[in-house]
Each structure stands twice: as C-alpha cells, then as structure tokens.
Amino acid sequence: MNRARGEATREETLVRAALDGDARAYDQIYSQHAQRLYRTCHALLGNGADAEEAVQEVFVRAFRKLDSFNFRSQLSTWLHGIAVRICLNLRRGRRRRERLDAAVAQCPPRARRDTSPDEQAQASELARRFHQALGQLPEKKRIPFLLFHAEGFDLAKTAAITSASVQTTHARIQSAREVLLAAALEGTEP
C-alpha cells in the first residue's frame, strides 16, 4: 500500500512540475510512457509508422490537456485511454480513405481486359489525367464531389457535412465535374 502511495506521490509531483513548465518533467513523462504506448498503438494499428504517429498525437493531446488529469487513475491509464481513442479514429480514417481511394479509382472508366493495348493505354492516360485534376481541385470542390460521387451521400447530406447550402454544394459538385471532365478529355480527338 505504501509503495502505491509513493508511486502516486512521485507521479503527482512529476505532473505538477510539468504543469509549472518544467521541460524535464515533460521529457520524463514521455520517456516513462512512450515505449509502452507505442506497443499498444502498434497492436491496434498494425504498423510502425501509424503507431509512431499515434504516440506523438497522444503526447500532444495529453500535454495540452495535462491540467485536466485528475489523479483518480494512474497517468499511464489516462494516456492509454487517449491512445485507444486516437488509434480507433486513425483506423476509421484509414478505412474511409481506402473506400474513397477505391471509389475514386473507379471514377474514370477502365479499359476492359479484351481491349487493345492502344485502348488500354488511352484508358490509363484518361485515369492519370482525372486523378491529377482531382488532386488539384480546391478542397471546397473536391470534398463535396468525393462525398457525393465516391461515398454516395445524397446532396442534402453532403451539404450538411460540408456546412454549405444545398445550392452551393450542387454548384461545387457541378463545377468539379466540369473541371474533371475537361481535364480527362484534354488532348483527345472529338
């Protein structure tokens, strides 16, 4: 019982020192918890790069909100709670990006397998121009276009998600469509 209270006292002293602006205290908190958080994040995310990104985000959020740590649990418990929420959000975001990438990849028509090499090359070039133009669209047009066409949201839901009116959203989707069509058709014979 004494040892647990001693741990809590050292932890509380360390957190209070960090809150008072002691950079060494922040470094010590990081060094005490980073490796274990990395293992947890790696287990949840499945790769090192995402785990490193998640651990960094854990400490950014934790240090910004350190004053809200209430000492009712151990600091490691609090940090791991943050880590789990970040990892779940990253996984949701990854799945969303994968669905968007797959849907966007299907936007320009693909050449059938039984087409000639020239037709396949033409389809590949069309897809390349489409993706390049999509990447150059301003976000205010690209996001509604992808939500509407790739994610399949209706116009009202797309407008709500992008915090724009239905009319503005429709105009942005139409404008994006015209830019993408023009880019895809650029250089082709009529």
Side-chain angles (χ1 to χ4, degrees), residues 27-98:
D27 290 343
Q28 195 171 353
I29 290 170
Y30 181 87
S31 65
Q32 286 178 1
H33 299 282
Q35 188 173 15
R36 190 162 177 216
L37 286 167
Y38 174 84
R39 286 193 306 267
T40 299
C41 292
H42 193 281
L44 291 169
L45 297 171
N47 72 63
D50 286 347
E52 287 176 20
E53 179 184 336
V55 169
Q56 293 305 314
E57 184 63 25
V58 167
F59 283 106
V60 167
R61 289 187 192 180
F63 289 160
R64 282 185 187 152
K65 299 281 187 179
L66 195 56
D67 61 340
S68 71
F69 178 63
N70 56 24
F71 302 100
R72 281 188 257 167
S73 64
Q74 291 183 332
L75 183 61
S76 63
T77 303
W78 185 67
L79 292 171
H80 276 78
I82 295 170
V84 168
R85 287 188 297 278
I86 287 171
C87 290
L88 291 176
N89 286 336
L90 285 172
R91 285 173 44 178
R92 274 188 226 103
R94 183 192 300 156
R95 285 193 304 268
R96 201 173 304 123
R97 280 190 308 276
E98 288 168 356

Coordinates of all heavy atoms in Angstrom, one line a residue, residues 27-98:
D27 N 9.8 15.7 -20.5 CA 10.7 14.6 -21.0 C 10.6 13.3 -20.2 O 10.5 12.2 -20.8 CB 12.1 15.1 -21.0 CG 12.4 16.2 -22.0 OD1 11.5 16.4 -22.9 OD2 13.4 16.9 -21.9
Q28 N 10.5 13.5 -18.9 CA 10.4 12.3 -18.1 C 9.1 11.5 -18.3 O 9.1 10.3 -18.4 CB 10.6 12.6 -16.6 CG 10.9 11.5 -15.7 CD 11.3 11.9 -14.3 OE1 11.5 13.1 -14.0 NE2 11.4 10.9 -13.5
I29 N 8.0 12.3 -18.4 CA 6.7 11.6 -18.7 C 6.8 10.9 -20.0 O 6.4 9.7 -20.1 CB 5.6 12.7 -18.7 CG1 5.3 13.2 -17.2 CG2 4.3 12.1 -19.2 CD1 4.4 14.4 -17.2
Y30 N 7.3 11.5 -21.0 CA 7.5 10.9 -22.3 C 8.3 9.7 -22.2 O 7.9 8.6 -22.7 CB 8.1 11.9 -23.3 CG 8.2 11.3 -24.7 CD1 7.1 11.4 -25.6 CD2 9.3 10.7 -25.1 CE1 7.2 10.8 -26.9 CE2 9.4 10.1 -26.4 CZ 8.4 10.2 -27.2 OH 8.5 9.6 -28.5
S31 N 9.5 9.8 -21.6 CA 10.4 8.6 -21.6 C 9.8 7.4 -20.8 O 10.0 6.3 -21.1 CB 11.8 9.0 -21.1 OG 11.7 9.4 -19.7
Q32 N 9.0 7.7 -19.8 CA 8.4 6.7 -18.9 C 7.3 5.9 -19.7 O 7.0 4.8 -19.4 CB 7.9 7.2 -17.6 CG 8.9 7.6 -16.6 CD 8.3 8.2 -15.4 OE1 7.1 8.4 -15.2 NE2 9.2 8.6 -14.5
H33 N 6.6 6.6 -20.6 CA 5.4 6.0 -21.1 C 5.4 5.8 -22.7 O 4.6 5.0 -23.2 CB 4.2 6.9 -20.8 CG 4.0 7.1 -19.4 ND1 3.4 6.1 -18.6 CD2 4.3 8.1 -18.5 CE1 3.3 6.5 -17.3 NE2 3.9 7.7 -17.3
A34 N 6.3 6.3 -23.4 CA 6.3 6.3 -24.8 C 6.4 4.8 -25.4 O 5.7 4.4 -26.3 CB 7.4 7.1 -25.4
Q35 N 7.3 4.0 -24.8 CA 7.5 2.7 -25.4 C 6.3 1.8 -25.2 O 5.9 1.1 -26.1 CB 8.8 2.1 -24.7 CG 9.2 0.8 -25.3 CD 10.5 0.2 -24.8 OE1 10.9 0.7 -23.7 NE2 11.0 -0.7 -25.4
R36 N 5.7 1.9 -24.0 CA 4.5 1.1 -23.8 C 3.3 1.5 -24.6 O 2.6 0.7 -25.2 CB 4.1 1.1 -22.3 CG 3.1 0.1 -21.9 CD 3.0 -0.1 -20.4 NE 1.9 -1.0 -20.2 CZ 1.2 -0.9 -19.1 NH1 1.4 0.0 -18.2 NH2 0.2 -1.8 -18.9
L37 N 3.2 2.9 -24.8 CA 2.2 3.4 -25.7 C 2.4 3.0 -27.1 O 1.4 2.6 -27.8 CB 2.1 4.9 -25.6 CG 1.5 5.5 -24.3 CD1 1.8 7.0 -24.1 CD2 0.0 5.2 -24.2
Y38 N 3.6 3.0 -27.5 CA 4.0 2.5 -28.9 C 3.5 1.1 -29.1 O 2.9 0.8 -30.1 CB 5.5 2.7 -29.2 CG 5.8 2.1 -30.5 CD1 5.7 2.9 -31.7 CD2 6.3 0.8 -30.6 CE1 6.0 2.3 -32.9 CE2 6.6 0.3 -31.9 CZ 6.5 1.0 -33.0 OH 6.8 0.5 -34.2
R39 N 3.8 0.2 -28.1 CA 3.4 -1.2 -28.3 C 1.9 -1.3 -28.4 O 1.4 -2.1 -29.2 CB 3.9 -2.0 -27.1 CG 5.4 -2.3 -27.2 CD 5.9 -3.4 -26.2 NE 5.5 -3.1 -24.8 CZ 6.2 -2.4 -23.9 NH1 7.4 -2.0 -24.3 NH2 5.8 -2.2 -22.7
T40 N 1.2 -0.6 -27.6 CA -0.3 -0.6 -27.6 C -0.8 -0.1 -29.0 O -1.7 -0.7 -29.6 CB -0.9 0.3 -26.5 OG1 -0.5 -0.3 -25.2 CG2 -2.4 0.3 -26.5
C41 N -0.3 1.0 -29.4 CA -0.7 1.6 -30.7 C -0.3 0.7 -31.9 O -1.1 0.5 -32.8 CB -0.1 3.0 -30.9 SG -0.7 4.2 -29.7
H42 N 0.8 0.1 -31.8 CA 1.2 -0.9 -32.9 C 0.3 -2.0 -32.9 O -0.1 -2.5 -34.0 CB 2.7 -1.3 -32.6 CG 3.2 -2.0 -33.8 ND1 2.9 -3.3 -34.2 CD2 4.1 -1.6 -34.8 CE1 3.6 -3.7 -35.3 NE2 4.3 -2.6 -35.7
A43 N -0.1 -2.5 -31.7 CA -1.0 -3.7 -31.7 C -2.4 -3.3 -32.3 O -3.0 -4.1 -33.0 CB -1.2 -4.2 -30.3
L44 N -2.8 -2.1 -32.0 CA -4.1 -1.6 -32.5 C -4.1 -1.2 -34.0 O -5.1 -1.4 -34.7 CB -4.6 -0.4 -31.7 CG -5.0 -0.7 -30.3 CD1 -5.3 0.5 -29.5 CD2 -6.3 -1.6 -30.3
L45 N -3.0 -0.7 -34.5 CA -2.9 -0.2 -35.9 C -2.2 -1.1 -36.8 O -2.4 -1.0 -38.0 CB -2.2 1.2 -35.9 CG -3.0 2.3 -35.1 CD1 -2.1 3.5 -35.0 CD2 -4.3 2.6 -35.7
G46 N -1.4 -2.0 -36.3 CA -0.7 -2.9 -37.2 C 0.5 -2.5 -37.9 O 1.1 -3.3 -38.7
N47 N 1.0 -1.3 -37.8 CA 2.2 -0.9 -38.4 C 3.0 0.1 -37.6 O 2.3 0.9 -36.9 CB 2.1 -0.6 -39.9 CG 1.4 0.8 -40.1 OD1 2.0 1.8 -39.7 ND2 0.3 0.8 -40.7
G48 N 4.3 0.2 -37.8 CA 5.1 1.1 -37.0 C 4.9 2.5 -37.3 O 4.9 3.4 -36.4
A49 N 4.7 2.9 -38.6 CA 4.6 4.3 -38.9 C 3.3 4.9 -38.3 O 3.4 6.0 -37.7 CB 4.6 4.5 -40.4
D50 N 2.2 4.2 -38.4 CA 1.0 4.7 -37.8 C 1.1 4.7 -36.3 O 0.6 5.6 -35.7 CB -0.2 3.8 -38.2 CG -0.6 4.1 -39.7 OD1 -0.2 5.0 -40.3 OD2 -1.4 3.2 -40.2
A51 N 1.8 3.7 -35.7 CA 1.9 3.7 -34.3 C 2.7 4.9 -33.8 O 2.4 5.5 -32.8 CB 2.6 2.4 -33.8
E52 N 3.8 5.2 -34.5 CA 4.6 6.4 -34.1 C 3.8 7.7 -34.2 O 3.9 8.5 -33.3 CB 5.9 6.5 -35.0 CG 6.9 5.4 -34.7 CD 8.1 5.5 -35.7 OE1 8.3 6.5 -36.4 OE2 8.8 4.5 -35.8
E53 N 3.0 7.8 -35.3 CA 2.2 9.0 -35.4 C 1.2 9.1 -34.3 O 0.9 10.1 -33.7 CB 1.4 8.9 -36.8 CG 0.5 10.0 -37.0 CD -0.3 9.9 -38.3 OE1 0.2 9.1 -39.3 OE2 -1.4 10.4 -38.4
A54 N 0.6 7.9 -33.9 CA -0.4 7.9 -32.9 C 0.2 8.3 -31.5 O -0.3 9.1 -30.8 CB -1.0 6.5 -32.8
V55 N 1.4 7.8 -31.2 CA 2.1 8.1 -30.0 C 2.4 9.6 -29.9 O 2.2 10.2 -28.8 CB 3.4 7.3 -29.8 CG1 4.2 7.8 -28.6 CG2 3.0 5.8 -29.6
Q56 N 2.9 10.1 -31.0 CA 3.1 11.6 -31.0 C 1.8 12.4 -30.7 O 1.8 13.3 -29.9 CB 3.7 12.0 -32.3 CG 5.1 11.5 -32.5 CD 6.1 11.8 -31.4 OE1 6.1 12.9 -30.9 NE2 6.8 10.8 -30.9
E57 N 0.7 11.9 -31.3 CA -0.5 12.6 -31.1 C -1.0 12.4 -29.7 O -1.6 13.4 -29.1 CB -1.6 12.1 -32.1 CG -2.9 12.8 -32.0 CD -2.9 14.3 -32.4 OE1 -2.0 14.7 -33.1 OE2 -3.8 15.0 -31.9
V58 N -0.8 11.3 -29.1 CA -1.1 11.1 -27.7 C -0.5 12.1 -26.8 O -1.1 12.8 -26.0 CB -0.7 9.6 -27.2 CG1 -0.8 9.5 -25.7 CG2 -1.6 8.6 -27.9
F59 N 0.8 12.3 -27.0 CA 1.5 13.2 -26.1 C 1.2 14.7 -26.4 O 1.1 15.5 -25.5 CB 3.0 13.0 -26.2 CG 3.5 11.8 -25.4 CD1 3.8 10.6 -26.0 CD2 3.5 11.9 -24.0 CE1 4.2 9.5 -25.3 CE2 3.8 10.7 -23.3 CZ 4.2 9.6 -23.9
V60 N 0.9 15.0 -27.7 CA 0.4 16.4 -28.0 C -0.9 16.6 -27.3 O -1.0 17.7 -26.6 CB 0.3 16.5 -29.5 CG1 -0.5 17.8 -29.8 CG2 1.6 16.6 -30.2
R61 N -1.8 15.7 -27.4 CA -3.1 15.9 -26.7 C -3.0 15.9 -25.2 O -3.6 16.7 -24.5 CB -4.1 14.9 -27.2 CG -4.6 15.1 -28.6 CD -5.7 14.1 -28.9 NE -5.9 14.1 -30.4 CZ -6.8 13.4 -30.9 NH1 -7.6 12.6 -30.2 NH2 -7.0 13.5 -32.3
A62 N -2.2 15.0 -24.7 CA -2.1 14.8 -23.2 C -1.4 16.1 -22.7 O -1.9 16.6 -21.6 CB -1.2 13.6 -22.9
F63 N -0.3 16.5 -23.3 CA 0.3 17.7 -22.7 C -0.5 19.0 -22.8 O -0.4 19.8 -22.0 CB 1.7 17.9 -23.4 CG 2.7 16.8 -23.0 CD1 3.8 16.6 -23.8 CD2 2.6 16.1 -21.8 CE1 4.8 15.6 -23.4 CE2 3.5 15.1 -21.5 CZ 4.6 14.9 -22.3
R64 N -1.4 19.1 -23.8 CA -2.3 20.2 -23.9 C -3.3 20.1 -22.8 O -3.8 21.2 -22.4 CB -3.0 20.2 -25.3 CG -2.1 20.7 -26.4 CD -3.0 20.8 -27.7 NE -2.1 21.2 -28.8 CZ -2.3 20.8 -30.0 NH1 -3.4 20.1 -30.3 NH2 -1.5 21.2 -31.0
K65 N -3.7 18.9 -22.5 CA -4.8 18.7 -21.5 C -4.3 18.2 -20.1 O -5.1 17.7 -19.3 CB -5.8 17.7 -22.1 CG -6.5 18.1 -23.3 CD -7.6 19.1 -23.1 CE -8.3 19.4 -24.3 NZ -9.4 20.3 -24.1
L66 N -3.0 18.3 -19.9 CA -2.5 17.8 -18.7 C -3.1 18.4 -17.4 O -3.3 17.7 -16.4 CB -1.0 18.0 -18.6 CG -0.2 17.3 -17.6 CD1 -0.4 15.8 -17.8 CD2 1.3 17.6 -17.7
D67 N -3.6 19.6 -17.5 CA -4.3 20.2 -16.4 C -5.6 19.6 -16.1 O -6.2 19.8 -15.0 CB -4.4 21.7 -16.6 CG -5.3 22.1 -17.8 OD1 -5.4 21.2 -18.7 OD2 -5.8 23.2 -17.9
S68 N -6.1 18.8 -17.0 CA -7.4 18.1 -16.7 C -7.2 16.7 -16.1 O -8.1 16.0 -15.7 CB -8.2 18.0 -18.0 OG -7.6 17.0 -18.9
F69 N -5.9 16.3 -16.0 CA -5.6 15.0 -15.4 C -6.0 15.2 -13.9 O -5.5 16.0 -13.2 CB -4.2 14.6 -15.6 CG -3.8 13.3 -14.9 CD1 -4.4 12.1 -15.2 CD2 -2.9 13.3 -13.9 CE1 -4.1 10.9 -14.6 CE2 -2.6 12.1 -13.2 CZ -3.2 10.9 -13.6
N70 N -6.8 14.3 -13.4 CA -7.4 14.5 -12.0 C -6.8 13.6 -11.0 O -7.3 13.6 -9.8 CB -8.9 14.4 -12.1 CG -9.3 13.0 -12.6 OD1 -8.6 12.0 -12.6 ND2 -10.6 13.0 -13.1
F71 N -5.8 12.8 -11.3 CA -5.1 11.9 -10.3 C -6.0 10.8 -9.7 O -5.6 10.2 -8.8 CB -4.4 12.7 -9.2 CG -3.5 13.7 -9.7 CD1 -3.9 15.1 -9.8 CD2 -2.2 13.4 -10.1 CE1 -3.0 16.0 -10.3 CE2 -1.3 14.3 -10.6 CZ -1.7 15.7 -10.7
R72 N -7.2 10.6 -10.3 CA -8.0 9.5 -9.8 C -7.6 8.1 -10.4 O -7.9 7.1 -9.9 CB -9.5 9.7 -10.3 CG -10.2 10.7 -9.4 CD -11.6 10.8 -9.6 NE -11.8 12.0 -10.4 CZ -12.9 12.3 -11.1 NH1 -13.9 11.5 -11.1 NH2 -13.0 13.4 -11.7
S73 N -6.8 8.2 -11.5 CA -6.2 7.0 -12.0 C -4.7 7.2 -12.2 O -4.2 8.4 -12.0 CB -6.9 6.6 -13.3 OG -6.6 7.6 -14.3
Q74 N -4.0 6.2 -12.6 CA -2.6 6.4 -12.9 C -2.5 7.2 -14.2 O -3.3 7.1 -15.1 CB -1.9 5.1 -13.1 CG -1.8 4.3 -11.8 CD -1.0 3.0 -12.0 OE1 -1.0 2.4 -13.1 NE2 -0.3 2.6 -10.9
L75 N -1.4 7.9 -14.4 CA -1.1 8.6 -15.6 C -1.1 7.7 -16.8 O -1.6 8.0 -17.8 CB 0.2 9.4 -15.5 CG 0.5 10.3 -16.6 CD1 -0.5 11.4 -16.8 CD2 1.9 11.0 -16.4
S76 N -0.5 6.5 -16.6 CA -0.5 5.6 -17.7 C -1.8 5.1 -18.2 O -2.1 5.0 -19.4 CB 0.4 4.3 -17.3 OG -0.3 3.6 -16.3
T77 N -2.8 5.0 -17.3 CA -4.2 4.7 -17.6 C -4.8 5.8 -18.4 O -5.4 5.5 -19.5 CB -5.0 4.4 -16.3 OG1 -4.3 3.4 -15.6 CG2 -6.4 4.0 -16.7
W78 N -4.6 7.0 -18.0 CA -5.1 8.1 -18.7 C -4.5 8.3 -20.1 O -5.2 8.4 -21.1 CB -4.8 9.4 -17.9 CG -5.4 10.7 -18.4 CD1 -6.7 11.0 -18.4 CD2 -4.7 11.8 -18.9 NE1 -6.9 12.3 -18.9 CE2 -5.6 12.8 -19.2 CE3 -3.3 12.1 -19.0 CZ2 -5.2 14.0 -19.7 CZ3 -2.9 13.3 -19.5 CH2 -3.9 14.3 -19.9
L79 N -3.2 8.1 -20.2 CA -2.5 8.2 -21.5 C -3.0 7.0 -22.4 O -3.2 7.3 -23.6 CB -1.0 8.1 -21.3 CG -0.4 9.3 -20.7 CD1 1.1 9.0 -20.3 CD2 -0.5 10.5 -21.5
H80 N -3.2 5.8 -21.9 CA -3.7 4.7 -22.7 C -5.1 5.0 -23.2 O -5.4 4.6 -24.3 CB -3.5 3.4 -22.0 CG -2.1 2.8 -22.2 ND1 -1.1 3.3 -21.4 CD2 -1.7 1.9 -23.0 CE1 0.0 2.6 -21.8 NE2 -0.3 1.8 -22.7
G81 N -5.9 5.6 -22.4 CA -7.3 5.9 -22.9 C -7.2 6.9 -24.1 O -8.0 6.7 -25.0
I82 N -6.3 7.8 -24.0 CA -6.1 8.8 -25.1 C -5.7 8.0 -26.3 O -6.1 8.2 -27.4 CB -5.2 9.9 -24.7 CG1 -5.8 10.8 -23.6 CG2 -4.8 10.8 -26.0 CD1 -4.8 11.8 -23.0
A83 N -4.7 7.1 -26.1 CA -4.1 6.3 -27.2 C -5.2 5.5 -27.9 O -5.2 5.4 -29.2 CB -3.0 5.4 -26.7
V84 N -6.0 4.8 -27.2 CA -7.0 4.0 -27.8 C -8.0 4.8 -28.6 O -8.3 4.4 -29.8 CB -7.8 3.2 -26.7 CG1 -9.0 2.5 -27.2 CG2 -6.9 2.1 -26.1
R85 N -8.4 5.9 -28.1 CA -9.3 6.8 -28.9 C -8.6 7.3 -30.2 O -9.2 7.3 -31.2 CB -9.8 8.0 -28.0 CG -10.8 7.6 -27.0 CD -11.4 8.8 -26.3 NE -10.5 9.5 -25.5 CZ -10.0 9.3 -24.3 NH1 -10.5 8.2 -23.7 NH2 -9.2 10.0 -23.7
I86 N -7.4 7.7 -30.1 CA -6.7 8.1 -31.3 C -6.5 7.0 -32.3 O -6.8 7.2 -33.5 CB -5.3 8.7 -30.9 CG1 -5.5 10.0 -30.2 CG2 -4.3 8.8 -32.1 CD1 -4.2 10.6 -29.6
C87 N -6.2 5.8 -31.8 CA -6.0 4.7 -32.7 C -7.3 4.3 -33.4 O -7.3 4.0 -34.6 CB -5.4 3.5 -32.0 SG -3.7 3.7 -31.5
L88 N -8.4 4.3 -32.7 CA -9.7 4.0 -33.3 C -10.1 5.0 -34.3 O -10.5 4.7 -35.4 CB -10.8 3.9 -32.2 CG -10.7 2.7 -31.2 CD1 -11.7 2.8 -30.2 CD2 -10.7 1.4 -32.0
N89 N -9.8 6.3 -34.1 CA -10.0 7.3 -35.0 C -9.2 7.1 -36.3 O -9.6 7.3 -37.4 CB -9.8 8.7 -34.5 CG -11.0 9.1 -33.5 OD1 -12.1 8.6 -33.6 ND2 -10.7 10.0 -32.6
L90 N -7.9 6.8 -36.1 CA -7.0 6.6 -37.2 C -7.5 5.4 -38.0 O -7.4 5.4 -39.3 CB -5.6 6.3 -36.7 CG -4.8 7.6 -36.3 CD1 -3.5 7.2 -35.6 CD2 -4.6 8.5 -37.4
R91 N -7.9 4.3 -37.4 CA -8.4 3.2 -38.1 C -9.7 3.5 -38.9 O -9.8 3.1 -40.1 CB -8.7 2.0 -37.2 CG -7.4 1.3 -36.7 CD -7.6 0.3 -35.6 NE -8.8 -0.6 -35.9 CZ -9.1 -1.6 -35.1 NH1 -8.4 -1.8 -34.1 NH2 -10.1 -2.4 -35.4
R92 N -10.6 4.3 -38.3 CA -11.8 4.7 -39.0 C -11.4 5.6 -40.2 O -11.9 5.4 -41.3 CB -12.7 5.5 -38.1 CG -13.6 4.6 -37.3 CD -14.7 5.5 -36.6 NE -14.8 5.0 -35.3 CZ -14.2 5.6 -34.2 NH1 -13.6 6.8 -34.3 NH2 -14.4 5.1 -33.0
G93 N -10.4 6.5 -40.0 CA -10.0 7.3 -41.1 C -9.3 6.5 -42.2 O -9.5 6.8 -43.4
R94 N -8.5 5.5 -41.8 CA -7.9 4.7 -42.8 C -8.9 3.9 -43.7 O -8.8 3.9 -44.9 CB -6.9 3.7 -42.1 CG -6.2 2.8 -43.1 CD -5.5 1.6 -42.4 NE -4.5 2.0 -41.4 CZ -4.2 1.2 -40.4 NH1 -4.7 0.0 -40.3 NH2 -3.3 1.7 -39.5
R95 N -9.9 3.4 -43.0 CA -10.9 2.7 -43.8 C -11.7 3.6 -44.7 O -12.0 3.3 -45.9 CB -11.9 2.0 -42.8 CG -11.4 0.7 -42.2 CD -12.5 -0.1 -41.5 NE -13.2 0.6 -40.5 CZ -12.9 0.7 -39.2 NH1 -11.9 0.0 -38.8 NH2 -13.7 1.4 -38.4
R96 N -12.0 4.8 -44.2 CA -12.6 5.8 -45.1 C -11.8 6.2 -46.3 O -12.3 6.3 -47.4 CB -12.9 7.1 -44.2 CG -14.0 7.9 -44.7 CD -14.4 9.0 -43.7 NE -14.7 8.5 -42.4 CZ -14.1 8.9 -41.3 NH1 -13.1 9.7 -41.3 NH2 -14.5 8.4 -40.1
R97 N -10.5 6.4 -46.0 CA -9.6 6.7 -47.2 C -9.5 5.6 -48.2 O -9.5 5.8 -49.4 CB -8.2 7.1 -46.6 CG -8.0 8.5 -46.1 CD -6.6 8.8 -45.8 NE -5.9 7.9 -45.0 CZ -5.9 7.8 -43.7 NH1 -6.6 8.7 -43.0 NH2 -5.2 6.9 -43.0
E98 N -9.4 4.4 -47.6 CA -9.4 3.2 -48.5 C -10.6 3.1 -49.4 O -10.5 2.8 -50.6 CB -9.2 1.9 -47.7 CG -7.8 1.8 -47.2 CD -7.7 0.7 -46.1 OE1 -8.7 0.0 -45.8 OE2 -6.5 0.5 -45.7

